[in-house]
Structures are given as structure tokens and as C-alpha cells.
Amino acid sequence: MACLHCFLGFLLLAARLPLDAARRFHDVLSNERTSGYTREHSQLTGWSSDENEWNEKLYPVWKKEDPRWKNSWRGGHVQAILTSDSPALVGSTITFVVDLVFPRCQKEDVNGNIVYENNCRNDTDPSPDLYVYNWTEESGWGNDHSQDHHHVFPDGKPFPHHPGWRRCSFVYVFHTLGQYLQKLGRGSARVSINTANVTLGPQLMEVIVYRRHHHVYVPIAKVKDVYVVTDHVPVFVTMYQKNDRNLSDETFLRDIPIMFSVLIHDPSHFLNESAINYKWNFGDNTGLFVSNNPTLNHTYVLNGTFSLNLTVQAAVPGPCPSPSPKPPKPTSPLSSAGDRPPELRATPVETCHINRYGYFKATITIVDGILEVNIIQMTDVVTPVPQPDKSLMDFVVTCQGIMPTEVCTIVSDPTCQITYNTVCDPVDVDTDDTCLLTVRRAFSGSGTYCMNLTLSDNTSLALTSTLVSVSARDPASPSRIANGALVSVGCLAIFVTVITLLVYKKHKEYKLVGRSARIVLKGQGLNALLNHAKAIFRLGNQERDPLLKHQPGTV
């Protein structure tokens, strides 16, 4: 009997050996988890458990230090870049994209083959051949008689025969939450996950990519990235204020409205049907502001440091939970057959809401600055020795707020498109507290000019524009008031356009961030724009007109 028990035990052990020795998906894709990991997460739609077996004969598995990786791709190494639109609000859809970056001089053609680019030479593989991999002419691919052998994924499932599937030469295996998804694709692959049943917090997505190689597949790249699922609405706030010189330092000016714009990160449009409210507390004892508009203006009237708090409430529609069953009503023995039978009424489908919240906090510093600038008078200046090709003009400038430290001008053609010269001058701040300046500038002969003028200090920059009409000099008239069209607000847009064009023409490497040059996440865009504009001013200042003279009260 003891021998029989030993024999049966040996048979059971032998039967288990192939099962234990089989490679499983979690062995291939991750070594950072225990075997009980799968049961901790809900099933993702269309995904499979990573406890399934992996076909290692068809899809070989190489360790990180395996020397075969060096020869996995002809002419270099392929890099896989994994991105996602994380963070994702629980219940929304998160999308992952894998892009393959081929070695230099290689690209994917319309047929899915890898070819060498024209007029490009790769020193590592100076092959005269057009193709790196010509999979279209590879024998056996797409042959119905051989599809059962190698037209399958690592778990043995057959390839989907969608239109153009024969041009897909890469197999992507996505792995997260103890589950995997297989996808046949070309140089890029995309998958989406509904996060309704995903555990909150950071999660790991891993991807391994294989390429075709006759009747087997060769691993070419592995990549992983962390994504986040949260029950808080992802909220960002942009801040913009006219005359603020640096929007990124969260220092703003007193008595000028600040425009706050709320951006909700919702790439899958999960909150499109949600009612969203914005509750603002600006920290200056002005109370609580509630609005359903993502944009709000607020003016601080005192200097100091203030704590800004925003709460976003989104009422997300969804099905109502099943009501608890009610106990049956007691029946009376006196009920007669003449009672009216019960009526069946259609009950409308109820819709409930789940409130999700998002939060934003910032510390804002309020200081004094230049609030407004105006040109109130233009006067022609007569020099002792007239210059027929030069005309000097004095501009009387007033401003509100603190005294500026610098004045800059751009003189252009009447359309404010072609710049003639740019000049910057320091302002003597020791004069007095009255903001009244005389700015002298030179013009090359008669005609109409567009002049844009800025007053600035360390924290603020105020803008104005005017059209200047310079007439031919009359020797009989010692001085005269110049003809000009003073524009303080109307030409502000023209000035910004001129600055933008100058930056684009002279600094082509500069690129605007986002869709607006003024309103950018945490106020990054306008600061860079103005800094580049200031650089142009200083370049112009190096070529200062020798006829410009500094006099008391004149810059």
C-alpha cells in the first residue's frame, strides 16, 4: 500500500511539473508583485488575467541584461515612449499611447514596412538597400494556411482580421492591475481604460513590444509609466492681470482686476453633463463668491499677502442605487372581491448625482504698480541747426500709480507692422512723486508714424500707443504742436500685435505656450513675451540716435 501511495504521489507531481514550469504573463511583464495581486482589483473590460500562460516559443522572453537585445533591431535600437492623459477622475476614461521611435534615418512606410529615409545616412548601418524590414514580401505572412501557427498573440488568441491587419507588424502587450491586453498595430498603439472600478492612487502601466520575424516574434522594447486615478477633480487655475510684468511670480498689482480662469483636466469629457460650481475665497475678507462660470475677475484694494482658495463642485449624473425592499402591507380579512385591482404605472428612470470636488490654493502678493499711462501732448522741437532729414518731437506723458523706472518706445510705419527703431531710457525717480514725463524722440523726415510707448518698473508695465503726423519743417514757425492721434486704449491691441511680430521675427526660437499669449497656465506666456520684447528694446537702445539729448525732466 505504501508503494501505491508513493506511485500516486509521483504521478501527481509529474502532472504538476508542466503547469508550474509554464511561463505566465506576470512572469514576463512584472516582477514587482505577488501572486495574489490580481484578486485585489476589479476586472477591466476586454482585459485578461495575467495568470494565463505565455507562449514562450512564439514570443521569447529576454531578461534586461540579455545580450540578444543588442541585435533585436537592425541599425540600432527602438525606443518605446508611453504617455497617458493622467490624472484621471474615477469613472472617466484614461487613454495610453505608445509611440515607437526608430533609429536615425529609419521610418515606417504606408505598407507598414521599415525603410531608410531619402538623403539620410546612418553611420551604424550604411546599407544601400531601401528596406530595413520588408515585411510585405515576407513569406508566410497573411497566408491563410499558416495563420494557425503564428498569427496569434502570446496567449494563443488569433489576430483580429480587420482591414489592413497584414500591415500591422508589431504586437503590443499592455499590463496593469494584474491584467493584460494584447494589440496588433503599427508604429503606434493606443488603448483606453474606464476607471470606474480602478483603485484610487498611483498605478503602473507596462508595455512590451514585439516585431515580426518570419514565423516568430522578437522583443524590441519595454516601457512603463505611472498613472493616477483620483476622486478629486483635477483643477488648474490661470491668472492674468493687465500691466503685470511677470505673471509667473504670483505677484500682482493693487487696484487692477485679476482674471482667474479655471481649467478642469477632463480629456475624456466625463464631466460634460455635470453641473459645475466654483466657490472662491480670495482671502481679503470680501466673502465667498459662488459662480457657475469658470472665469472670474477680482480686484485687490490693499497691499499684502493673501491666501486664495477655490473649491470646484461637479455633480456627476449616474444611476441611482437600488432602494431597500419595503415590508408588505398587512391585508385585511374583510377585503371584498369588489376592491379595485392594483394599477401598474410606468415609473420614470431616476437619475442621481455623485458630487466630486476639486481644490486649488495659491498665495498671492499684492503691490503698488503703474496703473495707466497716457500721452497728453506732442510738441515739435526746433534745434539750433535744422536737420532736413530729422525731426525731434517731445511727448508729454502722464501715468497713474507709482513712478516708472524706464520708458521704452517703438516707432513703426502707420500700420504698426514695420519697425523703424526702438529706444529705451531710464527715468530719474528722484524728481518727485508726480508722474509727468517728457519723452523726446527723433523721426526720419515727414510722414505718419505709429509709436508705442511703455512705462515699467520691476513689477509692472503699462502700455499706450499713438499715431504721429510729422509735417515738413516751416522755418518761419519756431515751434508748433504736432498733429497726432492719441490712442490710449484703442491701440493697445495694435501694440501687443507689434510686440508679438517683433518677437516672432527676431526670436524665431520662441514659441507661445498654450492657445493665448496672455493667459497661460500659472501665467507663463506673457512674461516670456515681454522679456523678449524688452530684449528688443535694449538692442535698439544700443543704436541710440546721437541727436537725442537728455535735459532736466526730459528722457
Side-chain angles (χ1 to χ4, degrees), residues 55-59 139-159 161 165 213-217:
N55 187 344
E56 192 171 359
K57 292 183 178 179
L58 197 58
Y59 292 86
S139 60
W141 188 259
N143 187 340
D144 292 338
H145 298 287
S146 61
Q147 67 178 9
D148 292 337
H149 299 288
H150 62 277
H151 292 169
V152 295
F153 288 113
D155 63 356
K157 294 180 181 178
F159 289 161
H161 288 189
W165 72 274
H213 183 67
H214 302 295
H215 291 177
V216 295
Y217 300 85

Side-chain angles (χ1 to χ4, degrees), residues 530-542:
L530 293 179
N531 285 340
H532 280 281
K534 186 64 176 294
I536 298 174
F537 282 133
R538 298 199 179 279
L539 288 174
N541 200 27
Q542 296 174 0

